[in-house]
C-alpha cells in the first residue's frame, strides 16, 4: 500500500468525506458526488487543501514573531485546542476566554471596558494576529467577517453547504466534515508543522554566527568583483534576453478527430482579468460590461466562446473571473443569466490596484494603472491552493486573458502546438504598425527577437524601437509553475527593476523583458493577426468594434475579409465623442468603414444612417457650427469643414 493510500484511508476513518445533504455550487469542485442523498467530499482534494494550509502555517511559523489565533466555540473541541496550544507554547487563559467572544478583532483598537465594583476588564488583543484558524466555521461567521475586514488570512474548515459570502473570504479552506476525529487530526497536523519549523529555527540559530561571518566575507569579495566588472563593462551593453516568435500561419492545423480536440481542450482553464473600470469613456461600471456589438459585451463574448467549445466538443473548460472590489458586484449581476449554462464560472475578488496620479500628484478617481496580469496570476498560483486543485482536475495549461483585449480567443490550434512542443510559457504578440509597414513578410517571418523589442503598451508614435505588441493574452504550463514553486524560483518581485540598455533607461515593466517569462525554460511568442489584439480604451475603438469591419461568431470577433489592409483604420474622435452616451447619440447608425484608411472627427458633428466612409476622411466643424452628415452619404478622401463641403 502506497503512502498516499494510507493517508486517504486515515482521512476516511475520520469521516472527513461525509458532507451535507446540499452542496453549494461553488463547493461542488470539492465533492465527488452524492450517496444516499448526502454529498461526498473528495478526499484527494481535502488532502491538497490540508497541504496548502500546512504550508502557509509553516511559512508563518518560520517568523518567531508571528501571532496565531485559534477560534473555537464548540465544547467538543475545547480539550483538543487546549492541548494543541499548550504544545505550541501559545496557550493563555486570558486568550482562551476571548475565543468565545464576538468583536475580538475589530474591537482591538478600541477595547471595551466594563466596571464591576472596583475591577476593570478589557477585552480584545493589543495587536491583530497574523493568522486566524477557525475550527467551527458555521458558528463563527462573524469572526470571518472581522478577519476579512482587517485583511487577516483565514485557515478554516468548510462544509459542502457553506454560503458563498463566507467562503470567498477564506484564504485557505479545508473541505471536510468537522467531526471530532478530523478536528483532532487537523490540529495534530498544525501542531507538528509548527513544532517542526521551530526546531529548524533552533538548529539554524546555532550556526548563525559562523554563517554570518562567512556571508560577510562572501559579500565583500562579491562587491570587489562587481566593482571590477563594472569598470571593464561600463561601455558595453548586452540584450535583455531573446524569444522565438512563431507566425500563427506556421502552426499545424488542428486535427479532424473530435475526441482528440476534446482531450486537448479538457486540459485548459481560462482566467479572465476583469479589473478595469469604464470611467475613461464615461461608463459607470466595469469596462467588460460595455456593449460591443449585437448587444454583447466583452464578458459575454468570452463566456459564449467557452460555451460554444464545450457544446461542440463535449469538453469542460472552466472560467475564472478575476474581479476587483469595484467590478465584482456588477459582474456577478451580469453573470446571473449564465446560471444554467454549461460553463463553470468562478468569480474571485482581488484587491484594488493603485490609482493613477495626475501631473500635480493628486489621485485621479476611478482610474487604475494597467496591472501586470502575468505576475498577478503567478502570485495567485504561488500563494493559494488553486494550483494543486487545477492539477488534480487534469488541467495542464492556463489561458490568461487581459481585461483590455476584447478579441482574445481560446484557440485549439495554439493549444495543440504548445502541448506537442512542451512549451512552458507563450505570449501572443502582433506587429507594430511601423514594423508591419517596413516588412511585408512580417506575418510569415519566424526568428529570435529581443524582449526589449516587444512593448506591452501600444506606442503612441511610430518608432522602430518596438517590433511587436504584447496582446496581454498568454498561455502558461501549470506543471512548470509547480516546478518553480517547489524550487522556490518563483520570485516575481525581482522583475520590477529598471535596467540600462544602449544608454537609455528602459522600464522593464513596459516591455516583455519585465514579464515573468524569463522564469521559464521553453518560451515562445506567437505572432497572431492584428484583429486578435483589439482594445477598448476609447470610443474610437468602439467605433471599430461596432462597424462592419467586425462580426461575431460563437463568441469570437472575426474581421471582415473585405478590408484589404491588415491594419485597422486610424480613427480620431474629438472630445464631443469621448463618453459612450455622447458617442451613441451622435451616430444614428454606425458608418461602414470597410475601405477606410483614416478618420478624424472634431467639433459638433452628427452622423445619419447608412453613411459610408472610404480612404482618408477629415470632418472638422468650426466653432459654433453644427455639421450633420445626411443619411446614405458616401465620403471618400474628403476634408469637410462646412455643410457645403458635403
Amino acid at each position: 500500500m502506497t503512502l498516499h493510500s494510507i493517508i486517504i484511508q486515515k482521512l476516511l476513518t475520520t469521516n472527513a468525506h461525509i458532507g451535507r445533504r446540499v452542496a453549494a455550487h461553488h463547493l461542488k469542485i470539492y465533492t465527488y458526488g452524492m450517496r444516499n442523498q448526502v454529498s461526498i467530499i473528495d478526499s484527494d482534494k481535502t488532502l491538497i487543501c490540508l497541504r496548502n494550509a500546512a504550508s502557509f502555517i509553516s511559512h508563518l511559523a518560520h517568523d518567531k514573531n508571528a501571532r496565531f489565533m485559534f477560534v473555537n466555540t464548540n465544547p467538543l473541541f475545547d480539550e483538543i485546542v487546549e492541548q494543541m496550544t499548550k504544545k505550541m507554547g501559545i496557550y493563555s487563559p486570558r486568550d482562551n476566554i476571548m475565543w468565545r467572544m464576538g468583536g475580538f478583532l475589530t474591537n482591538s483598537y478600541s477595547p471595551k471596558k466594563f466596571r464591576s465594583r472596583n475591577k476593570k476588564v478589557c477585552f480584545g488583543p493589543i495587536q491583530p494576529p497574523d493568522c486566524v484558524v477557525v475550527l467551527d466555521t458555521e458558528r463563527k461567521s462573524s469572526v470571518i467577517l472581522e478577519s476579512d475586514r482587517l485583511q487577516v488570512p483565514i485557515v478554516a474548515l468548510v462544509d459542502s453547504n457553506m454560503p458563498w459570502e463566507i467562503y470567498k473570504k477564506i484564504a485557505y479552506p479545508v473541505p471536510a466534515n468537522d467531526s471530532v476525529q478530523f478536528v483532532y487530526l487537523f490540529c495534530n497536523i498544525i501542531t507538528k508543522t509548527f513544532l517542526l519549523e521551530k526546531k529548524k529555527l533552533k538548529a539554524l540559530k546555532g550556526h548563525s554566527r559562523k554563517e554570518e561571518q562567512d556571508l560577510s566575507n562572501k559579500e565583500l569579495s562579491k562587491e570587489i568583483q562587481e566593482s571590477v566588472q563594472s569598470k571593464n563593462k561600463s561601455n558595453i551593453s548586452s540584450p535583455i534576453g531573446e524569444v522565438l516568435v512563431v507566425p500563427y500561419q506556421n502552426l499545424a492545423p488542428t486535427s479532424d478527430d473530435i475526441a482528440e480536440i476534446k482531450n486537448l481542450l479538457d486540459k485548459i482553464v481560462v482566467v479572465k482579468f476583469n479589473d478595469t473600470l469604464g470611467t475613461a469613456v464615461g461608463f459607470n461600471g466595469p469596462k467588460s460590461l460595455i456593449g460591443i456589438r449585437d448587444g454583447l459585451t466583452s464578458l459575454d463574448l468570452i463566456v459564449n466562446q467557452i460555451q460554444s467549445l464545450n457544446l461542440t466538443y463535449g469538453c469542460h473548460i472552466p472560467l475564472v473571473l478575476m474581479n476587483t472590489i469595484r467590478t465584482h458586484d456588477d459582474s456577478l449581476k451580469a453573470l446571473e443569466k449564465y446560471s444554467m449554462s454549461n460553463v463553470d464560472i468562478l468569480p474571485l475578488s482581488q484587491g484594488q490596484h493603485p490609482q493613477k496620479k495626475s501631473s500635480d500628484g493628486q489621485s485621479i478617481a476611478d482610474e487604475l494603472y494597467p496591472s501586470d496580469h502575468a505576475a498577478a496570476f503567478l502570485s495567485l498560483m504561488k500563494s493559494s491552493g488553486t494550483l494543486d486543485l487545477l492539477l488534480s482536475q487534469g488541467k495542464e495549461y492556463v489561458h490568461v486573458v487581459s481585461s483590455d483585449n476584447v478579441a482574445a480567443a481560446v484557440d485549439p490550434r495554439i493549444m495543440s502546438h504548445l502541448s506537442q512542443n512542451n512549451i512552458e510559457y507563450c505570449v501572443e504578440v502582433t506587429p507594430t504598425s511601423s514594423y508591419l509597414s517596413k516588412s511585408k513578410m512580417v506575418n510569415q517571418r519566424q526568428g529570435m527577437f529581443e524582449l526589449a523589442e516587444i512593448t506591452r503598451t501600444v506606442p503612441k508614435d511610430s518608432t522602430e524601437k518596438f517590433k511587436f505588441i504584447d496582446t496581454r493574452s498568454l498561455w502558461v504550463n501549470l506543471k512548470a509553475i509547480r516546478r518553480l514553486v517547489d524550487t522556490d524560483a518563483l520570485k516575481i518581485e525581482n522583475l520590477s527593476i529598471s535596467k540600462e540598455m544602449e544608454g537609455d533607461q528602459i522600464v522593464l515593466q513596459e516591455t516583455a523583458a519585465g514579464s515573468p517569462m524569463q522564469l521559464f525554460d521553453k518560451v515562445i511568442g506567437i505572432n497572431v493577426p492584428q484583429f486578435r489584439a483589439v482594445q477598448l480604451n476609447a470610443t474610437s475603438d468602439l467605433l471599430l468594434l461596432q462597424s462592419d469591419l467586425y462580426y461575431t461568431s460563437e463568441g469570437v470577433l472575426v474581421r471582415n475579409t473585405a478590408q484589404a489592409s491588415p491594419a485597422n483604420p486610424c480613427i480620431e474622435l474629438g472630445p464631443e465623442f469621448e463618453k459612450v452616451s455622447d458617442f451613441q447619440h451622435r451616430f444614428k447608425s454606425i458608418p461602414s468603414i470597410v475601405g477606410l484608411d483614416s478618420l478624424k472627427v472634431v467639433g459638433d458633428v452628427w452622423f445619419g444612417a447608412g453613411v459610408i466612409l472610404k480612404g482618408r476622411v477629415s470632418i472638422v466643424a468650426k466653432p459654433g457650427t453644427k455639421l450633420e452628415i445626411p443619411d446614405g452619404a458616401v465620403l471618400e478622401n474628403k476634408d469637410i469643414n462646412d455643410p457645403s463641403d458635403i
Side-chain angles (χ1 to χ4, degrees):
M1 184 178 292
T2 62
L3 179 61
H4 179 76
S5 301
I6 296 174
I7 297 174
I8 294 297
Q9 187 175 2
K10 180 65 176 177
L11 285 177
L12 294 176
T13 57
T14 62
N15 294 328
H17 61 289
I18 300 177
R20 301 295 177 90
R21 291 186 177 273
V22 178
H25 177 74
H26 51 276
L27 288 167
K28 287 184 178 179
I29 57 176
Y30 299 115
T31 59
Y32 186 79
M34 301 290 292
R35 184 176 182 182
N36 295 332
Q37 298 182 353
V38 175
S39 59
I40 304 300
I41 301 174
D42 194 338
S43 297
D44 284 327
K45 295 175 182 178
T46 300
L47 183 60
I48 291 173
C49 294
L50 270 174
R51 172 188 174 187
N52 296 329
S55 177
F56 171 68
I57 292 175
S58 173
H59 178 74
L60 276 183
H62 196 71
D63 183 5
K64 63 179 181 179
N65 297 321
R67 298 179 297 274
F68 291 83
M69 178 166 286
F70 298 88
V71 181
N72 168 49
T73 57
N74 193 334
L76 297 175
F77 306 155
D78 282 350
E79 186 177 355
I80 300 175
V81 177
E82 183 175 345
Q83 291 179 1
M84 172 183 63
T85 52
K86 284 182 178 179
K87 288 183 179 179
M88 295 171 62
I90 59 176
Y91 176 80
S92 171
R94 172 178 171 270
D95 293 337
N96 189 37
I97 297 174
M98 285 189 198
W99 294 340
R100 299 181 180 278
M101 300 176 55
F104 70 95
L105 288 176
T106 52
N107 290 341
S108 59
Y109 294 103
S110 57
K112 304 299 181 183
K113 296 184 179 181
F114 298 88
R115 289 184 177 271
S116 175
R117 296 184 180 179
N118 297 325
K119 295 182 180 180
K120 293 181 181 180
V121 182
C122 296
F123 299 103
I126 299 174
Q127 294 179 337
D130 297 314
C131 174
V132 173
V133 181
V134 185
L135 301 180
D136 47 344
T137 314
E138 184 178 359
R139 305 186 184 191
K140 294 306 297 178
S141 58
S142 60
V143 172
I144 296 176
L145 296 177
E146 293 178 70
S147 301
D148 180 72
R149 181 178 176 184
L150 295 178
Q151 298 183 351
V152 177
I154 305 171
V155 177
L157 301 182
V158 299
D159 213 326
S160 58
N161 63 346
M162 174 169 290
W164 166 252
E165 293 76 16
I166 302 299
Y167 170 79
K168 67 180 180 180
K169 301 180 186 300
I170 300 174
Y172 295 90
V174 180
N177 186 344
D178 55 346
S179 63
V180 177
Q181 295 87 347
F182 181 79
V183 171
Y184 178 80
L185 176 64
F186 178 66
C187 293
N188 194 23
I189 292 174
I190 293 176
T191 304
K192 291 185 176 180
T193 302
F194 184 89
L195 295 178
L196 180 61
E197 282 299 320
K198 294 301 179 184
K199 185 178 180 180
K200 290 180 181 179
L201 285 175
K202 188 175 181 180
L204 291 173
K205 193 174 182 180
H207 303 282
S208 60
R209 294 182 179 178
K210 183 179 180 181
E211 289 178 351
E212 287 176 0
Q213 186 175 1
D214 295 339
L215 183 61
S216 61
N217 294 335
K218 288 181 180 179
E219 288 178 349
L220 180 61
S221 60
K222 185 178 180 180
E223 289 178 358
I224 297 173
Q225 184 179 3
E226 288 178 350
S227 62
V228 174
Q229 291 178 353
S230 62
K231 292 180 180 179
N232 295 334
K233 297 184 178 181
S234 58
N235 298 323
I236 300 176
S237 61
S238 58
I240 312 177
E242 292 182 336
V243 63
L244 174 66
V245 177
V246 180
Y248 181 80
Q249 294 82 348
N250 292 5
L251 302 182
T254 55
S255 173
D256 296 331
D257 189 358
I258 295 181
E260 185 177 342
I261 299 178
K262 174 187 179 301
N263 183 49
L264 200 65
L265 296 177
D266 276 333
K267 301 176 182 179
I268 300 177
V269 58
V270 179
V271 175
K272 167 72 173 177
F273 275 84
N274 183 35
D275 56 351
T276 309
L277 297 174
T279 50
V281 292
F283 182 77
N284 186 20
K287 186 190 291 186
S288 61
L289 300 185
I290 298 177
I292 295 178
R293 61 175 306 115
D294 304 328
L296 299 176
T297 65
S298 62
L299 186 59
D300 292 325
L301 289 180
I302 192 69
V303 176
N304 292 345
Q305 185 182 151
I306 297 175
Q307 185 176 7
S308 176
L309 291 173
N310 289 345
L311 288 174
T312 304
Y313 300 103
C315 56
H316 177 255
I317 304 176
L319 172 63
V320 179
L321 196 63
M322 306 296 295
N323 301 320
T324 61
I325 298 174
R326 296 188 179 184
T327 63
H328 187 68
D329 293 337
D330 292 336
S331 301
L332 286 183
K333 293 179 182 178
L335 291 172
E336 289 179 354
K337 57 184 176 182
Y338 297 108
S339 59
M340 302 302 294
S341 69
N342 63 350
V343 182
D344 287 341
I345 305 176
L346 178 61
L348 299 178
S349 179
Q350 300 297 303
Q352 186 69 51
H353 294 287
Q355 291 183 340
K356 285 183 178 180
K357 291 186 177 179
S358 58
S359 57
D360 57 356
Q362 298 295 326
S363 296
I364 303 176
D366 296 336
E367 293 189 8
L368 309 177
Y369 277 125
S371 60
D372 186 354
H373 294 140
F377 165 73
L378 293 177
S379 178
L380 173 68
M381 293 293 101
K382 180 180 179 181
S383 61
S384 70
T386 309
L387 177 60
D388 290 324
L389 179 60
L390 294 177
L391 288 172
S392 67
Q393 294 176 349
K395 303 300 180 182
E396 293 185 6
Y397 280 90
V398 175
H399 186 200
V400 182
V401 181
S402 164
S403 58
D404 296 329
N405 189 2
V406 300
V410 184
D411 197 329
R413 190 173 176 182
I414 295 179
M415 176 61 191
S416 177
H417 181 81
L418 301 180
S419 180
Q420 291 178 4
N421 296 276
N422 297 321
I423 304 298
E424 294 186 356
Y425 193 99
C426 170
V427 57
E428 297 182 21
V429 299
T430 188
T432 59
S433 56
S434 58
Y435 187 54
L436 185 64
S437 60
K438 180 180 178 181
S439 175
K440 295 182 179 180
M441 299 297 294
V442 64
N443 289 330
Q444 288 78 31
R445 180 183 175 185
Q446 176 172 321
M448 302 296 294
F449 293 86
E450 294 182 11
L451 296 180
E453 295 176 336
I454 303 176
T455 177
R456 307 180 70 189
T457 56
V458 179
K460 296 180 180 179
D461 302 323
S462 179
T463 174
E464 296 183 357
K465 180 188 298 183
F466 301 115
K467 294 182 172 60
F468 292 98
I469 301 172
D470 185 354
T471 67
R472 300 294 187 93
S473 181
L474 56 96
W475 303 72
V476 190
N477 187 288
L478 288 171
K479 294 181 179 178
I481 300 176
R482 165 51 61 195
R483 185 191 72 243
L484 294 175
V485 171
D486 291 342
T487 58
D488 198 25
L490 195 58
K491 299 184 182 298
I492 303 171
E493 60 273 9
N494 294 338
L495 296 174
S496 59
I497 304 174
S498 299
K499 292 185 179 180
E500 188 171 346
M501 176 181 173
E502 298 178 357
D504 297 329
Q505 290 292 334
I506 297 179
V507 180
L508 296 186
Q509 291 293 348
E510 296 180 357
T511 65
S515 69
M517 68 169 61
Q518 300 178 84
L519 302 173
F520 296 85
D521 293 337
K522 297 182 179 179
V523 180
I524 67 168
I526 294 183
N527 182 11
V528 298
Q530 283 197 323
F531 64 82
R532 286 279 186 91
V534 182
Q535 297 185 357
L536 182 55
N537 296 326
T539 51
S540 57
D541 301 322
L542 198 59
L543 176 59
L544 286 173
L545 293 167
Q546 294 185 356
S547 69
D548 56 351
L549 194 62
Y550 287 93
Y551 65 93
T552 59
S553 175
E554 298 178 343
V556 180
L557 273 177
V558 183
R559 199 165 186 267
N560 194 337
T561 56
Q563 177 75 4
S565 174
N568 285 331
C570 179
I571 298 179
E572 180 184 350
L573 300 179
E576 296 80 8
F577 296 81
E578 184 177 359
K579 295 183 179 181
V580 174
S581 57
D582 296 335
F583 171 85
Q584 295 172 343
H585 291 155
R586 291 182 176 273
F587 286 97
K588 195 178 286 187
S589 70
I590 301 299
S592 171
I593 62 173
V594 174
L596 178 69
D597 295 327
S598 66
L599 172 66
K600 181 179 180 180
V601 183
V602 179
D604 190 10
V605 182
W606 299 77
F607 287 83
V611 177
I612 300 176
L613 305 176
K614 293 183 178 181
R616 298 180 180 273
V617 179
S618 175
I619 306 175
V620 180
K622 297 178 181 179
T625 303
K626 181 179 180 180
L627 281 179
E628 295 185 2
I629 309 300
D631 297 347
V634 179
L635 306 179
E636 183 175 1
N637 296 323
K638 278 195 173 185
D639 293 333
I640 299 175
N641 303 103
D642 192 81
S644 60
D645 297 334
I646 302 176

